[in-house]
């Protein structure tokens, strides 16, 4: 009776498989435990105290001195009731 011959595994396949398994394990371990959010002294999570000042955000703006809405456009939007920030009463 003859024995069935199984092909021997190729060394490069074993290396590729082991690298794939190690890569998957590394990526899963990196995502497994989310880090806790830092809380600033004022109690705002994931913010530093510097972020709570207008100057922080002004420094980050690409053109902080650019006019976004001039006074006449602002007045007409407010008078016409087209402001998207207008409070509405809940019925």
């Amino acid at each position: 009776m003859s024995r069935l011959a199984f092909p021997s595994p190729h060394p490069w396949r074993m290396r590729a498989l082991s690298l794939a398994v190690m890569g998957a394990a590394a990526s899963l371990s990196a995502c497994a435990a989310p880090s806790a959010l830092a809380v600033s002294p004022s109690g705002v999570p994931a913010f530093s105290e510097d972020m709570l000042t207008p100057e922080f955000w002004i420094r980050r703006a690409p053109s902080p001195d650019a006019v976004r809405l001039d006074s006449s456009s602002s007045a007409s939007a407010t008078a016409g009731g087209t402001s998207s920030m207008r409070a509405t009463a809940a019925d």
Side-chain angles (χ1 to χ4, degrees), residues 2-86:
S2 66
R3 297 177 95 189
L4 292 174
F6 292 102
S8 63
H10 296 287
W12 62 270
R13 286 186 183 167
M14 294 302 286
R15 286 187 191 132
L17 179 62
S18 63
L19 287 174
V21 169
M22 287 189 294
S27 65
L28 288 176
S29 67
C31 323
S35 60
L37 293 176
V39 177
S40 71
S42 63
V44 179
F47 279 88
S48 67
E49 289 299 308
D50 192 34
M51 291 179 174
L52 299 175
T53 64
E55 291 80 18
F56 175 84
W57 301 104
I58 292 170
R59 283 192 310 265
R60 293 177 53 93
S63 53
D65 296 325
V67 176
R68 305 285 195 276
L69 186 65
D70 63 3
S71 58
S72 63
S73 298
S74 176
S76 65
T78 304
T82 58
S83 174
S84 63
M85 295 174 46
R86 184 177 51 136

